[in-house]
Amino acid sequence: MNYKPLGNTGLLVSEIGMGCEGFSKNEYQMTKELLDKAESYGINYFDLYASDPRVREAVGHAMAGRREKFIVQSHLCSIWKDAQYKRSRDLREVREGFEEMMRLLQTDDIDVGMIHYCDSLSDWDAIIKNGILSYAIELKNQGRIRHIGLSSHNPQVALAAVHTGHIEVLMFSVNPCYDLQPASEDVNELWNEEKYKNPLINMDPQRQELYETCQTLGVGITVMKAFGGGDLLDAALSPAGKALSAHQCLHYALTRPAVATVLAGVHSAEQLEQCVSYETASAEEKDYAPALAAFPNISWEGHCMYCSHCAPCPQNIDIASVTKFLNLTIAQKMVPETVREHYAALEHHADACTACGACETRCPFRVPIRENMKKAQQVFHSSR
């Protein structure tokens, strides 16, 4: 298992993580089976958005005696009321829900306290005005949660949240179809068939800005909906009109800036094993670029996907990394010190480019790489 830093939290997390969708299966016995399998595979990170007390109790029993084996991302504001799930912004309900969660999980602390499901700016305002964010900060100061997170599907809201400086982990929906869609307060728009009937050109700029801003600020991204609820794996259901493999979806998400782990929403040990097989898959099996380039009604032309098809460079320039650092400066409208340092640490820089164009002949997305290298020279070498 490969492990990646979760932003600036200091946590090293397995790049394949696990959602909790399957925990209630088989009268909640699936919880222990999946956590047993996760431990055996080296998976140390899982998400628990479910508020069902039977799920939380099952997780608590399954973690007993091995709490230190797992990094737990569990949700504030996801409560159980009148025998059903509720997303609450009532501070009293949120406090009571947290205390119940800790009791059922049989733990004194959770690693990431995730403020649950915020997809509108008005809702983010309510989180602040109702004292929810202040409560999360209070819990962190008490050591009951180690890091504060937020889950969202809306890049506009996520950007507003991470810019406060309080959000250390962002749970966000990342896949090559959703990344084409502009911000919306209605999550259902992400898989609305009508949205995909007209040609879609390149990644939504706000989503691009979000990923690169998180990278710059040290906010770790944990990915939900990497498979689009399974739709991307089925040609008949895929918004793109073609199916992707699980390995391609995982690789796409894991190669986005700031992404640390993909939370696979598995329903069985077999599905978890399929996701873990990503770790030993070949480069060809993971390669999403040809599939994305062939999507009908969708074009990524001119947009670097960090797929590294441009390699090898005769001058040994890591073109994907140079381009990624360049995009970070564009998103921030400045050259952050950390980005400058990472660029300087590269063995070969953009000024080594001879404009031979070999890279552009291999790029599936017709990215103007030589032009990008010139821009990188201007940005980084003029800022020294």
Side-chain angles (χ1 to χ4, degrees):
M1 179 61 64
N2 187 39
Y3 297 86
K4 302 176 73 173
L6 182 62
N8 290 341
T9 64
L11 298 172
L12 277 177
V13 302
S14 54
E15 64 180 5
I16 305 299
M18 189 167 62
C20 62
E21 287 84 353
F23 285 2
S24 62
K25 300 290 183 182
N26 194 20
E27 295 298 315
Y28 305 93
Q29 294 181 39
M30 184 63 71
T31 302
K32 185 176 186 305
E33 182 179 346
L34 287 174
L35 287 178
D36 286 348
K37 286 290 185 183
E39 183 182 355
S40 70
Y41 293 139
I43 293 173
N44 69 351
Y45 198 95
F46 72 88
D47 175 74
L48 183 61
Y49 74 83
S51 58
D52 184 340
R54 292 164 295 182
V55 170
R56 289 175 169 176
E57 185 176 41
V59 171
H61 287 312
M63 285 199 303
R66 54 174 175 174
R67 169 67 181 86
E68 74 285 353
K69 299 284 187 180
F70 297 106
I71 297 171
V72 182
Q73 172 181 291
S74 197
H75 291 232
L76 314 177
C77 308
S78 175
I79 69 168
W80 193 253
K81 188 172 183 179
D82 299 327
Q84 62 182 5
Y85 153 81
K86 177 186 175 183
R87 177 182 61 175
S88 178
R89 301 300 185 230
D90 181 297
L91 184 57
R92 180 186 59 80
E93 291 182 340
V94 172
R95 285 180 179 274
E96 291 174 355
F98 178 80
E99 296 301 334
E100 179 189 61
M101 176 179 69
M102 299 297 278
R103 177 177 60 80
L104 294 172
L105 292 181
Q106 302 178 42
T107 185
D108 295 325
D109 60 71
I110 56 174
D111 301 285
V112 179
M114 186 68 55
I115 298 172
H116 181 62
Y117 188 3
C118 178
D119 277 358
S120 73
L121 289 173
S122 60
D123 190 28
W124 176 243
D125 287 341
I127 287 169
I128 295 173
K129 291 176 181 177
N130 294 5
I132 306 298
L133 179 59
S134 295
Y135 176 54
I137 295 170
E138 174 190 326
L139 291 173
K140 181 181 177 182
N141 291 337
Q142 293 172 351
R144 303 188 73 191
I145 63 176
R146 296 176 62 191
H147 305 283
I148 300 172
L150 176 82
S151 66
S152 179
H153 307 86
N154 185 331
Q156 184 181 26
V157 173
L159 278 166
V162 300
H163 276 303
T164 66
H166 293 299
I167 303 302
E168 302 166 88
V169 181
L170 175 68
M171 184 184 185
F172 199 72
S173 50
V174 181
N175 68 55
C177 283
Y178 294 177
D179 273 350
L180 296 162
Q181 296 293 347
S184 172
E185 295 185 1
D186 183 1
V187 66
N188 294 309
E189 292 296 290
L190 288 174
W191 51 83
N192 183 347
E193 291 182 4
E194 295 298 318
K195 292 288 186 178
Y196 296 90
K197 285 189 175 179
N198 295 320
L200 293 168
I201 310 297
N202 282 333
M203 180 179 286
D204 173 66
Q206 213 163 33
R207 287 175 174 267
Q208 176 85 8
E209 181 185 358
L210 173 64
Y211 301 152
E212 290 166 353
T213 298
C214 286
Q215 180 78 42
T216 301
L217 297 179
V219 176
I221 296 178
T222 64
V223 173
M224 57 177 161
K225 298 180 174 63
F227 308 134
D231 287 357
L232 291 178
L233 308 179
D234 186 333
L237 298 174
S238 173
K242 286 192 175 183
L244 290 171
S245 71
H247 291 159
Q248 289 170 327
C249 291
L250 290 168
H251 198 55
Y252 175 86
L254 286 167
T255 50
R256 299 310 92 197
V259 167
T261 183
V262 176
L263 304 167
V266 298
H267 294 265
S268 68
E270 291 73 24
Q271 288 181 352
L272 185 60
E273 182 178 6
Q274 181 186 19
C275 292
V276 172
S277 68
Y278 169 86
E279 296 298 302
T280 54
S282 66
E284 290 74 21
E285 289 173 311
K286 296 178 180 179
D287 188 4
Y288 52 79
L292 266 58
F295 277 172
N297 294 329
I298 290 176
S299 173
W300 295 90
E301 186 168 338
H303 186 89
C304 181
M305 302 298 293
Y306 312 130
C307 66
S308 294
H309 274 258
C310 52
C313 168
Q315 304 304 315
N316 296 314
I317 302 169
D318 183 344
I319 295 169
S321 291
V322 170
T323 306
K324 185 176 291 187
F325 296 143
L326 174 64
N327 287 340
L328 286 169
T329 69
I330 293 171
Q332 295 296 304
K333 298 180 177 62
M334 59 175 290
V335 184
E337 185 62 31
T338 53
V339 176
R340 183 186 290 110
E341 290 174 356
H342 281 116
Y343 176 82
L346 293 173
E347 189 174 353
H348 301 279
H349 300 110
D351 58 351
C353 177
T354 61
C356 69
C359 50
E360 293 185 0
T361 66
R362 293 189 291 266
C363 178
F365 306 104
R366 298 188 179 93
V367 174
I369 298 172
R370 287 175 288 185
E371 182 181 332
N372 285 343
M373 293 303 104
K374 287 181 182 178
K375 289 179 181 178
Q377 289 181 52
Q378 295 168 358
V379 168
F380 291 107
H381 296 275
S382 64
S383 66
R384 287 178 176 177

